[in-house]
Amino acid sequence: MNEQKAAPNYSVPALEKGLAVLELLAEASEPLSLSQISDKTENSTSQLFRTMTCLAESGFVIKDDISGKYMLTLKLFELANRHSPLEHLLQMANLPMQELAWTIRESCHISIMQQRQLLVVGQVESPEKVQIIVSVGATFPLARTVSGRLLLASMPDSSIEMTLEHDPDYCSMSDGERALFWRRIADIRRTGISTAVDESFIGMKDTAVLVGNPDVGVTAAVAVTQLTATRQSSEPHKVVAALRQCARQINERAGLSYELQKPSLIADAV
């Protein structure tokens, strides 16, 4: 009988300890002592002493001379900002978006907010012969688009108002249209999905989800535009599920931990 080979073990305990400490200090609201770090990481103080010494000598943490507690330096921040976080996010979005297009047989595109407009920065075409394509580089109004409202909804109300203060589309809205706009913002925050039918063009439905992390100022919208009167269009709940999966994959590939998905609300979004 052939014996099954054990899976190779590629773990690096010392590195794992160091990464766990960095994540712990990043989440802590105040400096932590060696014993506190020991309790939270479930490692002995003797095991952690060398780890903390290495991190301090490398410049990632600093030990307070008086309290003896540890805190992060700005080295991680400096390293992270050597490359554009948004550019990295967009690079990580390419493969999940390709999988999305093949799964639902629809084209998809990704947009960002730039100079108070919605800017399309990437798209993946549907494998079908008949497809809807949104041109890369095209700009659209924030307040009157599915992706624009999605990106706005990730901001505090005061920031939305400041962003739209001189926006011609928002300023031209009637009181009723503005009330509808804010109801849509509330719905997006509740469900995590932005959707509309016949908004830009009659016979089309747009659906979008957020990727990135608003807490660090890196966000984009992945959207699908479908014809409403066609036999091949995917069912709405399948599109929503596929978009959520795409967003989850993009964030995982980008190393972002922001909680984007609200699976219990999928029914509300469709």
Side-chain angles (χ1 to χ4, degrees):
M1 183 174 63
N2 294 330
E3 294 185 3
Q4 187 175 2
K5 293 183 178 180
N9 183 2
Y10 297 118
S11 64
V12 185
L15 178 59
E16 291 171 356
K17 285 188 183 73
L19 294 175
V21 169
L22 291 176
E23 290 187 3
L24 175 63
L25 292 176
E27 294 173 356
S29 58
E30 59 184 8
L32 299 177
S33 67
L34 187 62
S35 61
Q36 288 175 312
I37 297 172
S38 173
D39 290 340
K40 293 180 182 295
T41 61
E42 298 182 350
N43 290 294
S44 68
T45 55
S46 59
Q47 289 177 319
L48 285 173
F49 180 77
R50 293 178 62 184
T51 299
M52 302 310 299
T53 300
C54 179
L55 290 174
E57 290 177 348
S58 302
F60 288 100
V61 305
I62 188 171
K63 182 179 180 181
D64 185 80
D65 292 334
I66 299 175
S67 67
K69 294 184 177 182
Y70 294 89
M71 68 188 82
L72 288 180
T73 66
L74 292 176
K75 187 168 184 177
L76 284 174
F77 178 81
E78 181 184 45
L79 291 175
N81 282 276
R82 288 182 181 176
H83 301 280
S84 166
L86 184 57
E87 182 180 339
H88 176 67
L89 179 68
L90 298 178
Q91 289 176 346
M92 294 302 101
N94 188 50
L95 182 58
M97 287 178 61
Q98 289 182 27
E99 294 179 359
L100 171 65
W102 276 91
T103 298
I104 63 174
R105 318 297 292 182
E106 302 280 1
S107 300
C108 56
H109 58 276
I110 186 168
S111 308
I112 62 172
M113 189 186 304
Q114 187 172 87
Q115 297 180 347
R116 302 189 179 188
Q117 287 187 307
L118 183 72
L119 172 66
V120 180
V121 292
Q123 69 121 12
V124 175
E125 296 181 8
S126 162
E128 298 293 335
K129 294 180 180 179
V130 177
Q131 55 187 272
I132 300 173
I133 296 176
V134 181
S135 299
V136 174
T139 57
F140 299 92
L142 289 171
R144 295 189 184 276
T145 55
V146 160
S147 293
R149 288 190 295 270
L150 179 74
L151 293 172
L152 288 169
S154 70
M155 303 161 55
D157 287 354
S158 58
S159 297
I160 298 177
E161 292 171 350
M162 187 178 300
T163 301
L164 298 179
E165 184 178 7
H166 302 293
D167 182 271
D169 290 280
Y170 183 75
C171 292
S172 65
M173 288 183 181
S174 65
D175 291 342
E177 287 176 321
R178 290 194 183 188
L180 175 60
F181 167 82
W182 286 104
R183 284 199 299 273
R184 282 175 159 174
I185 293 295
D187 286 342
I188 293 168
R189 289 171 174 169
R190 180 175 59 85
T191 64
I193 290 288
S194 180
T195 185
V197 179
D198 299 338
E199 181 170 48
S200 300
F201 297 95
I202 300 297
M204 290 188 184
K205 178 177 181 178
D206 299 297
T207 310
V209 297
L210 190 75
V211 296
N213 186 343
D215 295 340
V216 296
V218 180
T219 54
V222 176
V224 171
T225 299
Q226 303 171 266
L227 293 171
T228 56
T230 176
R231 294 178 180 176
Q232 72 177 37
S233 291
S234 300
E235 297 177 20
H237 72 278
K238 292 182 179 179
V239 173
V240 169
L243 272 167
R244 290 183 183 277
Q245 176 65 14
C246 178
R248 194 159 37 238
Q249 290 176 341
I250 292 171
N251 267 26
E252 288 175 354
R253 285 168 56 84
L256 295 171
S257 59
Y258 185 74
E259 182 62 32
L260 295 168
Q261 312 307 324
K262 300 177 182 179
S264 63
L265 294 173
I266 287 181
D268 294 338
V270 299

